[in-house]
Amino acid sequence: QVQLVESGGGLVQAGGSLRLSCAASEGTASNYYMAWFRQAPGKEREFVAFISRTSDRTYYADSVKGRFAISRDKALNTVVLQMNSLKPEDTAVYYCAAARAPYISDVAALRNYDFLGQGTQVTVSS
């Protein structure tokens, strides 16, 4: 069973930055497709960012493009989401997800991921 543990959430003022980390079971971060999703109160869970196994491809939701950056540290077996220029609308629980399939047709669809972490709360005050 793959374990994903998110950390780094917290309270920050608008315009600030946070760095989320996803600690994965040994081998997961380097052998799986990884992504971040988020869920705001009263809203459905939505895609935030994706990184391929070899880190040669990344994709972002339009709402975070240019502000967020996803990366992986194979040595630490972690995936990081660097979030800059945060806005109140970024407030949500952020989840790390992992997919073991050799190919994903839609990286933004949560149904294509096999494992999901417990989430970490990010709150951006105005």
Side-chain angles (χ1 to χ4, degrees):
Q1 181 73 12
V2 171
Q3 302 291 329
L4 303 173
V5 179
E6 302 94 337
S7 63
L11 174 64
V12 64
Q13 288 188 331
S17 299
L18 281 175
R19 183 179 174 91
L20 304 184
S21 292
C22 173
S25 303
E26 186 173 355
T28 303
S30 59
N31 296 326
Y32 286 61
Y33 292 117
M34 303 294 292
W36 287 92
F37 289 81
R38 68 185 182 185
Q39 187 167 20
K43 296 187 177 181
E44 292 188 355
R45 203 164 292 174
E46 64 175 3
F47 168 76
V48 176
F50 164 89
I51 188 166
S52 63
R53 285 188 175 88
T54 56
S55 303
D56 61 332
R57 290 180 293 128
T58 56
Y59 300 109
Y60 298 92
D62 288 342
S63 58
V64 306
K65 203 171 293 183
R67 300 187 298 121
F68 291 12
I70 188 171
S71 61
R72 67 168 79 224
D73 185 328
K74 290 188 177 182
L76 297 177
N77 209 37
T78 60
V79 175
V80 172
L81 184 69
Q82 178 66 44
M83 306 187 297
N84 300 322
S85 303
L86 283 162
K87 304 175 181 180
E89 50 264 45
D90 295 318
T91 295
V93 177
Y94 284 71
Y95 299 89
C96 177
R100 58 190 168 192
Y103 172 73
I104 299 180
S105 59
D106 183 357
V107 302
L110 186 58
R111 67 179 183 277
N112 290 327
Y113 294 85
D114 303 289
F115 305 100
L116 194 69
Q118 294 298 309
T120 184
Q121 176 70 47
V122 171
T123 303
V124 184
S125 63
S126 57

